[in-house]
Amino acid sequence: MKAEKGYFKKRWTGRFPIALVFPNTYEVGMSNLGFRLVYEYLNRYEDLVCERFFLPEEGEKLRSVESSRPLTDFALILFSVSFETDLVNLIKILKEAGLSPLREEREGGPPVLAGGIATWLNPDPFTPFVDGLLLAEIEAIHARLVEVILDRRPFTAIPGFLPADYEITFDEEGRLKEIKHPPVTRVIARAIKEPPLSRLLTPHTVFEETYLLEIGRGCGRACRFCAAGILYRPPRPWPRETLQKALEIIPQGAKVGLIGLEFAASETVESLAQALLAKDCTLTFSSLRADALTETFAQLLARQRTATIAPETGTERLRQVINKNLKDEDLLAAARKLARVGIRVLKLYFMVGLPGETREDLEGIPRLLRQIKHVLDQETKPRGYVVELRVSVASFVPKPHTPFQWAPFEGVSGLKKKLKWLKQAVKKIPNTHLTTDLPKWAKLQALIARGDRRLKPLLLALAEGKNLNQALTLLPVNPQFLVSRTREKDELFPWEVVSLGVKRSFLWEEWEKALSGRPSPGCVLGRCKRCGACP
Ligand code: SF4
C-alpha cells in the first residue's frame, strides 16, 4: 500500500467494516475500474470503512491491504467477481479465512455477498457458496446499500439483491425445470451526476499510476457473442458535461486511461483528450472499433505507440454471423492510418470455435494477418522500421443472455487442433507473435457460465488443488450435457433468474439470424425498442 496513492485509511472506531474482495491477484483487481469505483464510493461514507482483499500470492497471508486485518474481522464480506473462473478463487479465499466455503455450513460470521458481471451472467453456480448476490451497478445502489447495512435491515431491501437460498428443480434428463424465484432485475445507473473516475493509483497494475476515466458504459454495436454488450444495455455514453468535471479533478501531468470508448462519440473522446493533453497528461486508450478510427483519434493513439483492434474472425462471412459488420477493407484502412501516425505495435484479437465456423474462416486468420502486415510494411518500411503484430486468439465460450446462449461450446480437442494449426500458420508471418488461451480453461469458463449449482463438487475440488480432469469426474451430471449441446428454443436457463430487460424473443431472433448469416442494426438510442432494454 505504501506505493499507492488515493487509498482510504480510516479508523475503525464507530464505523461499519466491509471487506471488499477481488478474487484474483492485486494486479488484476487493481486494473478493474468497477472494483476500484466500489471501493471509492463506499469509503466516501463516513460511517463505513471499506478495505480491500485480493487472492494472496504464494507465501502471502490473506490480510486487508489497508490495516492488515483478517477477513473474519469484518462485518460484511463483499466479493466483486468479473471472471467466471474466479469463483474457484472465491472458495479458496473463504477457506483461507477459516470460513466454511459452503453457505449452509457457515454459522454466525459475516454475511458473504457477491456482485460483479460474472454474477449477473449466471448467479446459480455461486449459490452454494455465498449468502446473496448483488445484481446492480454501484452508482445506482450505493446510497440504499449503505442505508440497509447501517440500519441492519434485510438485504432484500437492496435493489437488485438475489438471496442465494432460492430453489431450482431439474427434470429426469437433467434439464432445468423450474426456478422457484421470480427474476430479479439487475439495476443500472441510467444517469450519473459525477464522472466515473478512479483516483486510486498504484504502480503495480497494467494501468500504472493511472487515473481511469470511463467515457461510456456498454456498447450498442450488437455483436452476438458479446456478453458485456448485453449486460450493460442500454449503452450509455456519459454526457460530455459530466465528463468535463473530471478535468477539474485530474492534476496537471497525470497519466489518464480513457476506457469504455466502444460507443462514445468520437468528438467527445477527442475533445476530452485534447483538454487532457493541454494539461500535459499522458493518455492511454482501451481498444477501438476499426471503422470508427478518425485521423485525429489515430494521432492521439500514436502517442501510446500501441493500438488494439479486434477483427474477431478471419473472414467477413463469419463476422456477419457474429454481427460484427466490419469489412476487411475497414481493418486494412485502420491499419494504414495507424501505421502512418507511427504505431509500433498493433494488437489483434480473434476467436475460434464460433458457431458456423468453417475451415475457410480459420484459414482466413493468417490470410488477413498477411494483408494487414503488407499494408503496415508499405507504410513503415520506407521509414526504416516494421510494426510488430501481437495476435491473441481466444476459444469462444457461448455466454448467457446473448443470442449465442443456445450455441454449443466446441470442446477442448477441436479447439486444440485449430489453435495448433494457427500457431504453425502464423509462425511463417514475420514480426508476428501469437498467443492463445488454453481450451481446457475455456471449458471451465463454459461450465461456470452455462452450468448451475450442480457444479459444487467440481468447484470445491478445484479449490482444493485437484486438476480439472479429476474434478470433472465428481460432477453429478455429464459436463458435455452442460456445455456441448445446442440448447432447445424453449429450454429454461439457470441465468433466467436475472432479468436484464432484454427480451428472449429478441435473442432468439438474433440467434436465427446468426445461423443464416443475416446482419442486424446496432442501437439507435432514443429511437429504438428492438431488444426491450430501453424505456
Ligand atoms: S432497445 Fe434498441 S437502442 Fe435500446 S438497447 Fe435495445 S437495441 Fe439498443
Side-chain angles (χ1 to χ4, degrees):
M1 196 176 80
K2 276 191 200 130
E4 291 185 339
K5 291 182 199 120
Y7 59 84
F8 293 82
K9 182 107 171 59
K10 290 178 163 181
R11 293 171 74 93
W12 274 45
T13 319
R15 293 196 167 103
F16 186 97
I18 299 178
L20 178 64
V21 192
F22 195 91
N24 206 312
T25 60
Y26 177 90
E27 187 181 339
V28 177
M30 287 298 291
S31 303
N32 186 293
L33 177 64
F35 174 76
R36 285 165 58 160
L37 287 178
V38 174
Y39 172 74
E40 293 176 65
Y41 267 108
L42 292 182
N43 271 311
R44 281 188 218 158
Y45 288 88
E46 213 18 64
D47 296 334
L48 294 183
V49 48
C50 175
E51 300 195 358
R52 289 163 295 157
F53 283 82
F54 299 92
L55 184 70
E57 307 269 355
E58 192 71 35
E60 269 180 10
K61 285 207 159 119
L62 179 69
R63 289 281 189 272
S64 70
V65 173
E66 285 73 9
S67 67
S68 203
R69 283 183 165 85
L71 195 60
T72 43
D73 277 10
F74 291 77
L76 172 65
I77 300 172
L78 193 56
F79 280 93
S80 171
V81 194
S82 291
F83 313 108
E84 294 94 335
T85 47
D86 282 351
L87 175 51
V88 177
N89 293 336
L90 180 152
I91 298 166
K92 281 185 191 165
I93 287 172
L94 290 174
K95 284 163 63 110
E96 177 82 22
L99 293 164
S100 168
L102 294 174
R103 168 172 54 81
E104 287 181 342
E105 286 180 5
R106 281 194 298 270
E107 278 172 16
V112 179
L113 306 184
I117 62 166
T119 66
W120 304 3
L121 262 183
N122 184 9
D124 205 69
F126 288 81
T127 56
F129 309 107
V130 302
D131 299 305
L133 297 128
L134 278 178
L135 311 172
E137 290 178 349
I138 189 68
E139 295 88 348
I141 60 151
H142 59 88
R144 194 66 179 281
L145 172 72
V146 172
E147 202 181 285
V148 167
I149 290 170
L150 294 178
D151 294 350
R152 305 283 204 278
R153 281 161 53 200
F155 292 129
T156 45
I158 305 168
F161 180 77
L162 171 66
D165 59 358
Y166 67 92
E167 290 176 15
I168 59 176
T169 59
F170 300 96
D171 68 15
E172 280 165 11
E173 288 176 38
R175 285 183 183 77
L176 183 61
K177 197 166 145 198
E178 191 187 359
I179 301 173
K180 296 188 174 179
H181 195 285
V184 170
T185 301
R186 73 88 182 79
V187 185
I188 57 163
R190 298 261 171 197
I192 50 166
K193 291 197 190 94
E194 51 186 308
L197 172 73
S198 171
R199 308 170 213 186
L200 179 58
L201 309 185
T202 169
H204 307 299
T205 68
V206 282
F207 305 110
E208 207 181 305
E209 309 272 15
T210 302
Y211 288 77
L212 291 182
L213 177 61
E214 186 190 56
I215 307 295
R217 195 166 296 171
C219 173
R221 304 277 188 176
C223 296
R224 293 179 177 129
F225 65 88
C226 179
I230 297 278
L231 287 173
Y232 291 119
R233 279 196 179 206
R236 288 150 287 155
W238 301 128
R240 196 192 282 208
E241 311 73 59
T242 311
L243 295 171
Q244 294 283 351
K245 291 185 198 166
L247 295 172
E248 292 153 29
I249 303 166
I250 297 168
Q252 189 85 11
K255 284 187 188 172
V256 184
L258 298 181
I259 62 174
L261 307 181
E262 293 84 355
F263 205 59
S266 46
E267 309 81 62
T268 306
V269 181
E270 285 164 15
S271 76
L272 208 57
Q274 296 298 358
L276 287 163
L277 289 173
K279 287 182 85 171
D280 292 327
C281 292
T282 308
L283 303 183
T284 51
F285 301 89
S286 58
S287 78
L288 67 144
R289 172 96 184 179
D291 57 356
L293 182 66
T294 61
E295 296 290 345
T296 319
F297 194 45
Q299 294 283 355
L300 289 167
L301 282 170
R303 292 166 176 265
Q304 63 184 33
R305 297 268 158 146
T306 301
T308 306
I309 295 177
E312 314 291 2
T313 74
T315 61
E316 287 180 6
R317 186 202 70 81
L318 191 56
R319 243 170 268 139
Q320 199 150 320
V321 169
I322 64 172
N323 206 38
K324 184 150 193 166
N325 299 308
L326 271 182
K327 301 265 179 234
D328 287 353
E329 66 194 52
D330 298 325
L331 296 163
L332 297 177
R336 193 177 291 284
K337 268 185 209 157
L338 291 167
R340 280 189 184 153
V341 295
I343 283 289
R344 298 298 171 119
V345 176
L346 182 59
K347 293 183 183 171
L348 294 153
Y349 293 150
F350 292 91
M351 283 184 291
V352 291
L354 284 158
E357 184 180 80
T358 63
R359 181 77 194 174
E360 199 184 317
D361 297 313
L362 192 66
E363 288 170 0
I365 295 177
R367 195 182 316 124
L368 179 61
L369 290 175
R370 278 200 189 85
Q371 288 172 333
I372 292 174
K373 185 87 187 75
H374 178 63
V375 164
L376 295 172
D377 286 351
Q378 276 181 330
E379 293 295 328
T380 65
K381 275 196 171 166
R383 286 185 262 152
Y385 67 93
V386 288
V387 176
E388 181 192 339
L389 289 186
R390 289 190 198 153
V391 183
S392 296
V393 183
S395 305
F396 167 69
V397 172
K399 293 287 174 113
H401 301 288
T402 69
F404 287 171
Q405 63 183 351
W406 284 276
F409 171 67
E410 162 142 2
V412 174
S413 64
L415 289 166
K416 268 187 178 171
K417 277 186 205 141
K418 287 181 177 175
L419 293 174
K420 192 174 167 197
W421 182 86
L422 266 179
K423 276 181 193 159
Q424 290 303 324
V426 172
K427 218 191 247 177
K428 296 172 196 149
I429 308 173
N431 294 303
T432 303
H433 302 101
L434 178 89
T435 51
T436 64
D437 64 355
L438 283 176
K440 73 171 179 178
W441 293 120
K443 180 173 180 175
L444 176 62
Q445 195 192 117
L447 276 165
I448 300 173
R450 307 182 61 74
D452 50 62
R453 59 195 64 188
R454 291 174 295 181
L455 298 177
K456 182 174 91 175
L458 168 123
L459 294 165
L460 287 169
L462 290 172
E464 270 166 25
K466 296 234 169 27
N467 69 37
L468 184 58
N469 284 338
Q470 290 168 329
L472 282 168
T473 61
L474 302 171
L475 279 180
V477 55
N478 183 347
Q480 306 306 104
F481 184 78
L482 291 175
V483 297
S484 301
R485 70 193 161 91
T486 304
R487 304 283 180 117
E488 289 152 29
K489 181 181 178 187
D490 296 322
E491 183 168 343
L492 181 63
F493 300 126
W495 50 91
E496 287 183 277
V497 72
V498 183
S499 167
L500 303 175
V502 175
K503 292 179 284 190
R504 193 181 227 264
S505 56
F506 164 82
L507 296 175
W508 178 257
E509 195 186 310
E510 283 296 303
W511 171 230
E512 288 198 307
K513 281 178 151 185
L515 293 175
S516 54
R518 282 176 291 148
S520 279
C523 292
V524 188
L525 293 174
R527 284 191 282 131
C528 163
K529 300 269 178 222
R530 282 181 67 232
C531 81
C534 283

PDB file of all heavy atoms in Angstrom, residues 13 15 102 165 168 191 213 315 337 361 369 399 421 423 431 435 437 484 498:
ATOM      1  N   THR A  13     -13.049   2.729  14.805  1.00  0.00           N
ATOM      2  CA  THR A  13     -13.969   3.015  15.910  1.00  0.00           C
ATOM      3  C   THR A  13     -15.246   3.688  15.405  1.00  0.00           C
ATOM      4  O   THR A  13     -15.183   4.703  14.717  1.00  0.00           O
ATOM      5  CB  THR A  13     -13.279   3.941  16.934  1.00  0.00           C
ATOM      6  OG1 THR A  13     -11.952   3.492  17.084  1.00  0.00           O
ATOM      7  CG2 THR A  13     -14.004   3.951  18.266  1.00  0.00           C
ATOM      8  N   ARG A  15     -17.263   2.697  13.170  1.00  0.00           N
ATOM      9  CA  ARG A  15     -17.580   2.515  11.741  1.00  0.00           C
ATOM     10  C   ARG A  15     -17.910   1.052  11.441  1.00  0.00           C
ATOM     11  O   ARG A  15     -17.396   0.141  12.092  1.00  0.00           O
ATOM     12  CB  ARG A  15     -16.393   2.939  10.866  1.00  0.00           C
ATOM     13  CG  ARG A  15     -16.108   4.417  10.923  1.00  0.00           C
ATOM     14  CD  ARG A  15     -15.216   4.839   9.770  1.00  0.00           C
ATOM     15  NE  ARG A  15     -15.200   6.279   9.668  1.00  0.00           N
ATOM     16  CZ  ARG A  15     -14.192   7.047  10.083  1.00  0.00           C
ATOM     17  NH1 ARG A  15     -13.116   6.501  10.606  1.00  0.00           N
ATOM     18  NH2 ARG A  15     -14.273   8.352   9.962  1.00  0.00           N
ATOM     19  N   LEU A 102     -19.057 -23.292   2.231  1.00  0.00           N
ATOM     20  CA  LEU A 102     -20.459 -23.610   1.947  1.00  0.00           C
ATOM     21  C   LEU A 102     -21.400 -22.769   2.804  1.00  0.00           C
ATOM     22  O   LEU A 102     -21.294 -22.746   4.032  1.00  0.00           O
ATOM     23  CB  LEU A 102     -20.720 -25.094   2.189  1.00  0.00           C
ATOM     24  CG  LEU A 102     -19.981 -26.019   1.219  1.00  0.00           C
ATOM     25  CD1 LEU A 102     -20.171 -27.471   1.603  1.00  0.00           C
ATOM     26  CD2 LEU A 102     -20.454 -25.782  -0.214  1.00  0.00           C
ATOM     27  N   ASP A 165     -30.565 -18.586  -1.400  1.00  0.00           N
ATOM     28  CA  ASP A 165     -31.221 -19.833  -0.984  1.00  0.00           C
ATOM     29  C   ASP A 165     -32.477 -20.149  -1.798  1.00  0.00           C
ATOM     30  O   ASP A 165     -33.318 -20.924  -1.365  1.00  0.00           O
ATOM     31  CB  ASP A 165     -31.542 -19.782   0.519  1.00  0.00           C
ATOM     32  CG  ASP A 165     -32.458 -18.613   0.870  1.00  0.00           C
ATOM     33  OD1 ASP A 165     -32.803 -17.832  -0.062  1.00  0.00           O
ATOM     34  OD2 ASP A 165     -32.818 -18.467   2.051  1.00  0.00           O
ATOM     35  N   ILE A 168     -34.207 -24.557  -7.206  1.00  0.00           N
ATOM     36  CA  ILE A 168     -34.473 -24.876  -8.608  1.00  0.00           C
ATOM     37  C   ILE A 168     -34.714 -26.380  -8.703  1.00  0.00           C
ATOM     38  O   ILE A 168     -34.279 -27.141  -7.835  1.00  0.00           O
ATOM     39  CB  ILE A 168     -33.320 -24.454  -9.554  1.00  0.00           C
ATOM     40  CG1 ILE A 168     -31.992 -25.126  -9.172  1.00  0.00           C
ATOM     41  CG2 ILE A 168     -33.134 -22.958  -9.563  1.00  0.00           C
ATOM     42  CD1 ILE A 168     -30.857 -24.797 -10.146  1.00  0.00           C
ATOM     43  N   ALA A 191     -28.408   7.400 -15.264  1.00  0.00           N
ATOM     44  CA  ALA A 191     -27.708   8.682 -15.404  1.00  0.00           C
ATOM     45  C   ALA A 191     -26.703   8.774 -14.261  1.00  0.00           C
ATOM     46  O   ALA A 191     -26.857   8.096 -13.247  1.00  0.00           O
ATOM     47  CB  ALA A 191     -28.705   9.823 -15.314  1.00  0.00           C
ATOM     48  N   LEU A 213     -10.758   6.874 -16.375  1.00  0.00           N
ATOM     49  CA  LEU A 213     -11.999   7.611 -16.620  1.00  0.00           C
ATOM     50  C   LEU A 213     -12.822   6.850 -17.655  1.00  0.00           C
ATOM     51  O   LEU A 213     -12.349   6.577 -18.761  1.00  0.00           O
ATOM     52  CB  LEU A 213     -11.678   9.022 -17.130  1.00  0.00           C
ATOM     53  CG  LEU A 213     -12.886   9.888 -17.510  1.00  0.00           C
ATOM     54  CD1 LEU A 213     -13.801  10.131 -16.313  1.00  0.00           C
ATOM     55  CD2 LEU A 213     -12.421  11.235 -18.079  1.00  0.00           C
ATOM     56  N   THR A 315     -12.721 -14.018 -41.609  1.00  0.00           N
ATOM     57  CA  THR A 315     -13.487 -13.719 -42.831  1.00  0.00           C
ATOM     58  C   THR A 315     -14.656 -12.784 -42.530  1.00  0.00           C
ATOM     59  O   THR A 315     -15.200 -12.770 -41.421  1.00  0.00           O
ATOM     60  CB  THR A 315     -14.086 -15.005 -43.455  1.00  0.00           C
ATOM     61  OG1 THR A 315     -14.968 -15.592 -42.490  1.00  0.00           O
ATOM     62  CG2 THR A 315     -13.020 -16.001 -43.862  1.00  0.00           C
ATOM     63  N   LYS A 337      -3.890   3.768 -41.388  1.00  0.00           N
ATOM     64  CA  LYS A 337      -3.914   5.041 -40.636  1.00  0.00           C
ATOM     65  C   LYS A 337      -2.972   4.970 -39.434  1.00  0.00           C
ATOM     66  O   LYS A 337      -2.237   5.906 -39.144  1.00  0.00           O
ATOM     67  CB  LYS A 337      -5.327   5.301 -40.105  1.00  0.00           C
ATOM     68  CG  LYS A 337      -6.191   6.133 -41.032  1.00  0.00           C
ATOM     69  CD  LYS A 337      -7.526   6.432 -40.370  1.00  0.00           C
ATOM     70  CE  LYS A 337      -8.596   6.593 -41.434  1.00  0.00           C
ATOM     71  NZ  LYS A 337      -9.936   6.359 -40.983  1.00  0.00           N
ATOM     72  N   ASP A 361     -12.836 -20.099 -42.693  1.00  0.00           N
ATOM     73  CA  ASP A 361     -12.782 -18.995 -41.722  1.00  0.00           C
ATOM     74  C   ASP A 361     -11.478 -19.041 -40.928  1.00  0.00           C
ATOM     75  O   ASP A 361     -10.871 -18.012 -40.648  1.00  0.00           O
ATOM     76  CB  ASP A 361     -13.970 -19.073 -40.751  1.00  0.00           C
ATOM     77  CG  ASP A 361     -15.299 -18.910 -41.469  1.00  0.00           C
ATOM     78  OD1 ASP A 361     -15.410 -17.982 -42.282  1.00  0.00           O
ATOM     79  OD2 ASP A 361     -16.202 -19.732 -41.236  1.00  0.00           O
ATOM     80  N   LEU A 369      -4.014 -11.591 -41.601  1.00  0.00           N
ATOM     81  CA  LEU A 369      -2.802 -11.066 -40.950  1.00  0.00           C
ATOM     82  C   LEU A 369      -1.756 -10.675 -41.993  1.00  0.00           C
ATOM     83  O   LEU A 369      -1.096  -9.645 -41.876  1.00  0.00           O
ATOM     84  CB  LEU A 369      -2.218 -12.106 -39.986  1.00  0.00           C
ATOM     85  CG  LEU A 369      -3.040 -12.377 -38.727  1.00  0.00           C
ATOM     86  CD1 LEU A 369      -2.424 -13.508 -37.914  1.00  0.00           C
ATOM     87  CD2 LEU A 369      -3.129 -11.115 -37.862  1.00  0.00           C
ATOM     88  N   LYS A 399     -21.959 -17.366 -24.230  1.00  0.00           N
ATOM     89  CA  LYS A 399     -22.281 -16.732 -22.951  1.00  0.00           C
ATOM     90  C   LYS A 399     -23.785 -16.576 -22.735  1.00  0.00           C
ATOM     91  O   LYS A 399     -24.535 -16.315 -23.682  1.00  0.00           O
ATOM     92  CB  LYS A 399     -21.629 -15.353 -22.889  1.00  0.00           C
ATOM     93  CG  LYS A 399     -20.105 -15.386 -22.844  1.00  0.00           C
ATOM     94  CD  LYS A 399     -19.587 -15.845 -21.499  1.00  0.00           C
ATOM     95  CE  LYS A 399     -18.098 -16.022 -21.472  1.00  0.00           C
ATOM     96  NZ  LYS A 399     -17.369 -15.116 -20.650  1.00  0.00           N
ATOM     97  N   TRP A 421      -2.993 -25.599 -35.429  1.00  0.00           N
ATOM     98  CA  TRP A 421      -2.844 -25.271 -36.852  1.00  0.00           C
ATOM     99  C   TRP A 421      -2.512 -23.783 -37.018  1.00  0.00           C
ATOM    100  O   TRP A 421      -1.627 -23.409 -37.784  1.00  0.00           O
ATOM    101  CB  TRP A 421      -4.140 -25.611 -37.608  1.00  0.00           C
ATOM    102  CG  TRP A 421      -3.992 -25.329 -39.068  1.00  0.00           C
ATOM    103  CD1 TRP A 421      -3.474 -26.158 -40.016  1.00  0.00           C
ATOM    104  CD2 TRP A 421      -4.310 -24.090 -39.733  1.00  0.00           C
ATOM    105  NE1 TRP A 421      -3.449 -25.521 -41.234  1.00  0.00           N
ATOM    106  CE2 TRP A 421      -3.954 -24.253 -41.091  1.00  0.00           C
ATOM    107  CE3 TRP A 421      -4.846 -22.875 -39.322  1.00  0.00           C
ATOM    108  CZ2 TRP A 421      -4.128 -23.242 -42.037  1.00  0.00           C
ATOM    109  CZ3 TRP A 421      -5.017 -21.867 -40.253  1.00  0.00           C
ATOM    110  CH2 TRP A 421      -4.662 -22.055 -41.599  1.00  0.00           C
ATOM    111  N   LYS A 423      -1.076 -21.756 -34.900  1.00  0.00           N
ATOM    112  CA  LYS A 423       0.290 -21.444 -34.438  1.00  0.00           C
ATOM    113  C   LYS A 423       1.288 -21.696 -35.558  1.00  0.00           C
ATOM    114  O   LYS A 423       2.185 -20.891 -35.800  1.00  0.00           O
ATOM    115  CB  LYS A 423       0.640 -22.308 -33.223  1.00  0.00           C
ATOM    116  CG  LYS A 423       0.137 -21.715 -31.933  1.00  0.00           C
ATOM    117  CD  LYS A 423       0.527 -22.580 -30.752  1.00  0.00           C
ATOM    118  CE  LYS A 423      -0.253 -22.150 -29.532  1.00  0.00           C
ATOM    119  NZ  LYS A 423      -0.333 -23.164 -28.503  1.00  0.00           N
ATOM    120  N   ASN A 431       7.644 -10.965 -37.860  1.00  0.00           N
ATOM    121  CA  ASN A 431       7.292  -9.967 -36.822  1.00  0.00           C
ATOM    122  C   ASN A 431       5.867 -10.110 -36.302  1.00  0.00           C
ATOM    123  O   ASN A 431       5.196  -9.122 -36.015  1.00  0.00           O
ATOM    124  CB  ASN A 431       7.479  -8.542 -37.358  1.00  0.00           C
ATOM    125  CG  ASN A 431       8.926  -8.252 -37.624  1.00  0.00           C
ATOM    126  OD1 ASN A 431       9.754  -8.362 -36.737  1.00  0.00           O
ATOM    127  ND2 ASN A 431       9.240  -7.950 -38.866  1.00  0.00           N
ATOM    128  N   THR A 435      -0.462 -15.455 -29.302  1.00  0.00           N
ATOM    129  CA  THR A 435      -0.719 -16.108 -28.018  1.00  0.00           C
ATOM    130  C   THR A 435      -2.146 -16.653 -28.050  1.00  0.00           C
ATOM    131  O   THR A 435      -3.022 -16.063 -28.694  1.00  0.00           O
ATOM    132  CB  THR A 435      -0.585 -15.138 -26.820  1.00  0.00           C
ATOM    133  OG1 THR A 435      -1.367 -13.981 -27.090  1.00  0.00           O
ATOM    134  CG2 THR A 435       0.831 -14.740 -26.550  1.00  0.00           C
ATOM    135  N   ASP A 437      -5.320 -18.871 -25.659  1.00  0.00           N
ATOM    136  CA  ASP A 437      -5.699 -19.332 -24.322  1.00  0.00           C
ATOM    137  C   ASP A 437      -5.606 -20.859 -24.291  1.00  0.00           C
ATOM    138  O   ASP A 437      -5.280 -21.493 -25.295  1.00  0.00           O
ATOM    139  CB  ASP A 437      -7.107 -18.844 -23.951  1.00  0.00           C
ATOM    140  CG  ASP A 437      -8.178 -19.424 -24.863  1.00  0.00           C
ATOM    141  OD1 ASP A 437      -7.830 -20.126 -25.838  1.00  0.00           O
ATOM    142  OD2 ASP A 437      -9.365 -19.190 -24.607  1.00  0.00           O
ATOM    143  N   SER A 484     -21.900 -28.744 -24.204  1.00  0.00           N
ATOM    144  CA  SER A 484     -21.627 -29.090 -25.608  1.00  0.00           C
ATOM    145  C   SER A 484     -22.853 -29.396 -26.452  1.00  0.00           C
ATOM    146  O   SER A 484     -22.726 -29.986 -27.515  1.00  0.00           O
ATOM    147  CB  SER A 484     -20.683 -30.297 -25.664  1.00  0.00           C
ATOM    148  OG  SER A 484     -19.506 -29.991 -25.003  1.00  0.00           O
ATOM    149  N   VAL A 498     -32.080 -13.890 -13.582  1.00  0.00           N
ATOM    150  CA  VAL A 498     -31.678 -12.482 -13.737  1.00  0.00           C
ATOM    151  C   VAL A 498     -32.413 -11.906 -14.939  1.00  0.00           C
ATOM    152  O   VAL A 498     -32.417 -12.506 -16.009  1.00  0.00           O
ATOM    153  CB  VAL A 498     -30.156 -12.350 -14.012  1.00  0.00           C
ATOM    154  CG1 VAL A 498     -29.748 -10.877 -14.103  1.00  0.00           C
ATOM    155  CG2 VAL A 498     -29.348 -13.076 -12.966  1.00  0.00           C
TER     156      VAL A 498
END
